[in-house]
Amino acid sequence: MSKSYGFIEITGVVAAIDALDIMCKTADVELASWERKLGGRLVTIIVEGDVSAVTEAVNAAVAGAIKKPASYAVIARPHEETVRMVELSASRWKNKEKQGDE
């Protein structure tokens, strides 16, 4: 099975964490990255896993999150440029974590 990405864009950090919790509890997916825009008022959560797990996770979050997502998508077998973009996002997030540890 190949990697796929699931995206949920939702307003508010609390709602985003709730959506991520739903996704991770529903299916075998992992957090790939996340982005905050507009001071955290708009948050994008990106999970990865096999396509069936990601689809199940995204659908569960759309149905059960405390707020309605602004948008959502599943990308099966993402193009290498899409993978590179997600990895760039993840590297910025991980670099901020490392800086906080120092």
Side-chain angles (χ1 to χ4, degrees), residues 15-83:
I17 292 170
D18 176 60
L20 175 63
D21 186 61
I22 290 168
M23 288 190 284
C24 290
K25 287 178 177 175
T26 299
D28 186 21
V29 296
E30 293 182 358
L31 177 64
S33 187
W34 69 295
E35 294 279 338
R36 290 182 310 166
K37 300 296 178 199
L38 304 173
R41 291 189 301 263
L42 191 59
V43 182
T44 304
I45 298 291
I46 306 169
V47 296
E48 66 183 336
D50 68 53
V51 71
S52 62
V54 168
T55 301
E56 181 181 6
V58 169
N59 289 340
V62 168
I66 59 175
K67 287 187 176 180
K68 181 180 177 186
S71 60
Y72 57 93
V74 173
I75 299 177
R77 295 177 289 111
H79 187 274
E80 64 188 48
E81 293 300 322
T82 305
V83 172

